[in-house]
Amino acid sequence: MSRNIYAFLAIILLLLQNCSGQKTDTKFYDKDFKWSIQIPKDFTKVSAKEWAEKQQKGENALEETTGEEVINEAKTIFVFKTDDMNYFEANYQPFDINIDGDYRENNRNVNHALYQTFRDNMPNARIDTLSSTEKIDSLFFYKYETKIYLPNNQILDIIMYSKLFDKKEFTVNIMFTDPKCGKEMIDAWKNSKFEK
């Protein structure tokens, strides 16, 4: 199973946490993936130190659900937020099909583990999921959507995009309760570019 999902779960556990940061309105470029993206304005950059602390909570929740140790090899590319309910995160980790197995099967296992972890940690919520693929700048990504209907009548949308680049798994996570913020993040992601 992918060692990356702990970072994704950390986003969920941030719902009740505060992270300090600074406002941004900038174009971001990652040289490893030759990826450029315009971060929506009024998003705040989450500090690496605070994000690392939150990731540990996600790892612990996943280990409790799966009964397996999570090995942390994910590297954060960025984390931005508008508030404690709307997050935009990108990361990568090593993935070698000769060691980690079939990537498509891995995605199915990750999706199942995510669903079960949400179910275990949010027993009073209704959870709907959808797996598909989507093309971003002519590249196909695995897409896993989760819609969580919380008991307080709030809806939490979580979208995870992932793709294997040689021996690196690249992942973008979008979480929101505010549809306007969600649209801004989704539009930014869909308009991002990968140099060929």
Side-chain angles (χ1 to χ4, degrees):
M1 180 187 316
S2 172
R3 297 159 292 217
N4 185 34
I5 55 181
Y6 85 93
F8 183 62
L9 290 170
I11 295 172
I12 305 308
L13 297 172
L14 283 166
L15 289 173
L16 303 175
Q17 303 294 325
N18 290 319
C19 295
S20 61
Q22 54 189 343
K23 294 284 184 182
T24 186
D25 183 12
T26 184
K27 190 165 190 170
F28 181 87
Y29 180 77
D30 182 84
K31 65 181 181 187
D32 291 332
F33 296 97
K34 299 179 181 175
W35 174 51
S36 60
I37 184 169
Q38 179 71 41
I39 304 300
K41 76 175 187 177
D42 297 328
F43 273 64
T44 302
K45 186 173 183 178
V46 177
S47 75
K49 179 182 175 190
E50 291 195 42
W51 184 246
E53 291 169 1
K54 306 309 179 211
Q55 286 177 325
Q56 185 63 48
K57 292 182 181 182
E59 183 178 333
N60 293 343
L62 184 60
E63 287 179 350
E64 201 170 299
T65 296
T66 64
E68 297 177 17
E69 180 183 1
V70 175
I71 299 168
N72 175 6
E73 293 185 284
K75 305 291 184 198
T76 301
I77 297 172
F78 66 64
V79 183
F80 291 95
K81 69 173 189 169
T82 58
D83 58 36
D84 292 330
M85 301 297 278
N86 301 282
Y87 280 86
F88 197 9
E89 188 248 357
N91 68 69
Y92 70 92
Q93 68 167 341
F95 190 98
D96 185 338
I97 59 172
N98 296 317
I99 297 168
D100 300 307
D102 181 73
Y103 187 63
R104 186 175 184 176
E105 180 65 27
N106 176 73
N107 272 282
R108 282 194 288 268
N109 293 337
V110 167
N111 297 348
H112 176 74
L114 285 171
Y115 174 81
Q116 194 58 52
T117 302
F118 294 146
R119 170 61 52 223
D120 291 352
N121 287 280
M122 300 175 180
N124 297 321
R126 188 179 108 214
I127 303 172
D128 292 334
T129 62
L130 178 64
S131 297
S132 62
T133 59
E134 186 170 329
K135 194 184 283 189
I136 306 294
D137 192 30
S138 77
L139 300 175
F140 280 99
F141 285 79
Y142 287 99
K143 180 180 181 183
Y144 186 63
E145 300 174 80
T146 305
K147 190 176 283 286
I148 302 174
Y149 299 86
L150 300 167
N152 63 0
N153 295 322
Q154 202 164 34
I155 299 172
L156 174 63
D157 284 282
I158 305 160
I159 308 171
M160 180 172 68
Y161 293 87
S162 59
K163 178 175 179 54
L164 190 60
F165 287 84
D166 192 24
K167 292 186 178 182
K168 290 181 181 177
E169 180 184 32
F170 172 84
T171 303
V172 168
N173 296 306
I174 298 170
M175 181 193 83
F176 60 93
T177 57
D178 181 338
K180 180 179 177 290
C181 289
K183 183 178 185 320
E184 289 178 352
M185 290 184 278
I186 292 167
D187 287 349
W189 163 237
K190 288 184 176 183
N191 291 318
S192 69
K193 300 293 180 190
F194 291 86
E195 293 173 20
K196 309 301 184 283

